[in-house]
Amino acid sequence: MSRVLPSVPHAVSAAAPHAVSRANFLGLPTIQGRASLALLVWQITFVCAFAARVLLSALSLSQDLIGASMLPRIFISGALMDAITGLYLVLPFAVYLWLAPRRLYQSRVGRAMVFAGIALTIGTSLYLIASEYFFFDEFNARFNYVAVEYLIYPTEVLTNIRDSYPVYKVLSAAVAMSLSLTWVLRARIRAAFAESSSYGSRTLVMGGVALVTAATLAGVNLQTVQRGHERVANELAANGIYAFFSAARNAHIDYEAYYATLSTQEAATRVRHLLGQNNTQPSGGDNPFARHVDNRDLGPVRKMNVIVLLQESMGSEFVGSLGGRGLTPNIDRIAAQGMSFTHLYASGTRTVRGMEAVTTSLAPVPPESVVKRTNNEGLFNLASIAKQAGYAPTFIYGGYGTFDNMNAFFGGNGWKVVDRTDMPSAKFANIWGIADEALMDNALDVFDKQVARGEQVFSVVMSTSNHKPFTFPAGIPGVAEKGGGRDAGVRYADYAIGHFFDKLQTRPWAKDTMLVIVADHGARVYGRAEVPVSTYEIPLVIHAPAYIQPQRIDTLASQIDVGPTILGLLHLSYDSRLPGRDILRMKPEDGYAVFNHNRDSAMMRGDRVATLGFGKTMQTEIYDPVSKQLRPAPHDPQLESDAQALFQTSQQMFVSGLQKE
């Protein structure tokens, strides 16, 4: 019990005689009546947000993602965001307390509603602490656009969460604690029903709350607390709930209003220069990507089948031939017989970004891949050129292609879609799809039928098994059926690749087949930097021993360059609007990679990384591939301008329709 101290000033007590009475042990006014209930809900959200920040900061310190010297800023800025977020969350309840007639407010129904609402607030806040912990452990970030995207597909995502995390244990604990704490607070809650405040006094208090809310909406956002180059510290200073709704609100933004851009003419000039190679000629017109690619100097067109195995979460960190952990003996043996690209970077952190890069070569403009955007049909893409060259393009996926709009995107852009609905019932599957081994068998069956019909194969095969909940068929050497985590996922994905490769060699058409193995993205994004470059490193292996000599290509390149490089190896000449380039025609100094991370975009050339941030910010950093760290550097105007040009042109060509066939 707090002791009673002198009354608050007369002006305050007169303004709200029943909302504020005596002072508490801190010397601050004690809020009573209906206002005390709103304050209680605000306090619950604030304390739980503080607890989440303590937990996430401890995790970050243990992983050396932040330094102890950053904690004061993290907690001071974080307290501001938590206070504001709590204010927004309590508003609906405050409106009820303001407008509810005394008869309803003090009735059994009214009391039950309040008790239930407070219990729900406590339980939800506690559950969100655990949810944020697991999300942060995976992404080193607060809830962001990834979380928003996941909720669009609740069946797949919620089932994956249930199978991957101790959902029921956490939920049970949250319910038990919420009921217990509500019981502890029952006297304080009951006391609030004894007040007899007037509607006028409540209106005065609510007016003050509305003014404060309006001021925070106008003057405070994530950028207020997210300053400096320490990405993880900035994430910790944010509030998870606020960050989630900010990501949802900015899901469809005017790119030019929020990101640094150049004049259209300067951007076009720079893009034409960036894409120019010794075999290209600009086509003119309004699309700077348009050019003719002439590969006749390489020799006659190679009539090869093309199979692209787009591998879920297969970062370079696992691939032995790239200096990784050696979990991929099959990828390594295929790489030893083919062309291995040692310095390739994914364009994003989601599968749809990998699909966008490989098929359209567009730069990964935030916040959303073109795979999921509206009006994305009829785009000029890899299938456009393949079909002109006589191929029959297919997209083969072991899951349900309605997820992430895959079927609509590929089907609307010249690819025949084959997904789980077209495949026989598999012996093993989880929420994401059938096991990769079965997927590969089904893909081979599709290819055999195409060859029998006299069609040339050009296919993208998307795997699913290397993904939480990491469950696999029994009997695979070195792969636990469950509980093996990411290592088991990588080992199984590699096993399935070897299974496919060995079966492929038995086909008479295999000798004229180009097998491409490339990841959709790395396993997870982590690190202090705004764009954690090292986590974007992925393998690219191209195997066609009858046509391509074994070799390693060390040129810095991007996932958006995969398609044009394949076309170059086929010796095809074509009119192009793909913004990617043929890696094999690049000079070492010409290579660059492009990235998207949450709301930031970046371009790396040499050891310099130019990042375009939300709010028209730009910065240049130096990347150290040994320590895998970024450090601040003076602005590089040329690199920053090239980054602006490529990203804004990708956005403009898509939005304007000039990237359509």
Side-chain angles (χ1 to χ4, degrees), residues 256 262 264 267 647-658:
E256 294 186 1
L262 306 171
T264 301
F647 279 94
Q648 79 179 71
T649 304
S650 290
Q651 169 73 359
Q652 290 169 351
M653 293 304 100
F654 176 82
V655 171
S656 67
L658 290 173

Side-chain angles (χ1 to χ4, degrees), residues 388-421:
Q388 290 174 8
Y391 287 94
T394 59
F395 168 68
I396 304 176
Y397 178 54
Y400 296 114
T402 51
F403 181 74
D404 269 350
N405 203 47
M406 295 181 198
N407 283 358
F409 172 77
F410 280 95
N413 286 287
W415 304 79
K416 178 183 178 182
V417 175
V418 180
D419 74 352
R420 186 173 176 177
T421 61

Side-chain angles (χ1 to χ4, degrees), residues 280-365:
T280 64
Q281 181 64 40
S283 301
D286 295 329
N287 190 330
F289 297 149
R291 62 201 188 281
H292 181 72
V293 179
D294 189 347
N295 282 314
R296 290 177 297 176
D297 61 313
L298 300 176
V301 172
R302 291 167 165 172
K303 294 289 187 179
M304 283 191 283
N305 300 299
V306 178
I307 301 170
V308 179
L309 301 183
L310 193 55
Q311 288 296 299
E312 172 69 46
S313 303
M314 187 61 74
S316 293
E317 64 191 286
F318 306 115
V319 181
S321 58
L322 296 177
R325 295 176 51 209
L327 302 182
T328 58
N330 290 296
I331 292 178
D332 294 339
R333 71 180 170 104
I334 297 169
Q337 302 171 26
M339 186 179 286
S340 179
F341 295 78
T342 64
H343 208 185
L344 188 87
Y345 289 85
S347 68
T349 60
R350 293 286 320 281
T351 294
V352 288
R353 284 297 187 192
M355 292 174 172
E356 171 187 66
V358 171
T359 60
T360 73
S361 289
L362 288 168
V365 177

Side-chain angles (χ1 to χ4, degrees), residues 80-81 83-89 91 208-224 242 245-246 249-250 258:
L80 172 65
M81 294 307 302
I84 292 171
T85 303
L87 177 63
Y88 297 159
L89 293 174
L91 271 179
V209 172
L211 286 174
V212 173
T213 302
T216 60
L217 285 171
V220 181
N221 54 37
L222 282 178
Q223 284 67 50
T224 306
Y242 189 104
F245 283 102
S246 176
R249 183 169 60 87
N250 293 312
Y258 291 95

Side-chain angles (χ1 to χ4, degrees), residues 42 45-47 49-51 53 71-87 142 220 225 236-239:
W42 179 88
T45 63
F46 186 88
V47 169
F50 175 81
R53 184 168 291 103
L71 292 176
R73 179 178 77 84
I74 288 171
F75 278 89
I76 293 171
S77 299
L80 172 65
M81 294 307 302
D82 294 344
I84 292 171
T85 303
L87 177 63
R142 295 285 195 164
V220 181
V225 299
L236 292 170
N239 177 282

